[in-house]
Amino acid sequence: MQWSKDKIMGRAAVAATVAAWKVEGRKVVFTNGCFDLLHLGHVDYLEKARHLGDALVVGVNTDTSVSCLKPGRPLQDEVSRTRILASLLFVDAVVLFDEPTPLALIEATLPDILVKGDDYAISGIVGHELVLQNGGQVLTVPLVAGYSTTRIVERILKGS
């Protein structure tokens, strides 16, 4: 059994791990996000993403990156967010990225499948050209309606 902490990797380690998985013939799926408050929508999305291949790599925005994208966030620090994600059985690797987008991480891993939620158009998914040029697929998966961290925060602030 792999400990969840062992699934949290740096960029070089995840690139080497992905390369080894590919040598073994495993199809590698990559997705990314902030994953500030893990909720049903996240879990459903990640599980669907994992079922598209043999291993799921999740890129997670660092605290600095999140705060640039979403003022006043994150609510949970990057150590908490990565550890919670790594505890999910269907997540195989978690890696932080500090840039505004995960493009450098996608370049380092060259996943077989790049996936985001269906709130994205394929053309709007960062790294889609690179993955397609390298013979991979870019897909979207349906999201569970009504679940978002923003909505949860709003409900907490309203007291309902």
Side-chain angles (χ1 to χ4, degrees), residues 11 27 39 51 60 63 73 104 109-110 116 122 130 138:
R11 188 166 300 183
K27 188 182 287 189
H39 54 71
H51 282 289
V60 179
D63 292 346
R73 304 256 296 271
T109 56
L110 284 177
K116 291 292 281 182
I122 298 290
L130 178 66
V138 181

Side-chain angles (χ1 to χ4, degrees), residues 6 10 15 17 20 23 45 48 50 57 63 67 78 93-94 97 111-112 116 124 127-128 138 152:
D6 295 338
T17 299
V23 167
Y45 163 72
K48 287 175 183 169
R50 173 59 171 78
V57 177
D63 292 346
S67 65
E78 63 196 45
V94 179
F97 67 95
D112 298 297
K116 291 292 281 182
H128 75 277
V138 181
I152 291 169

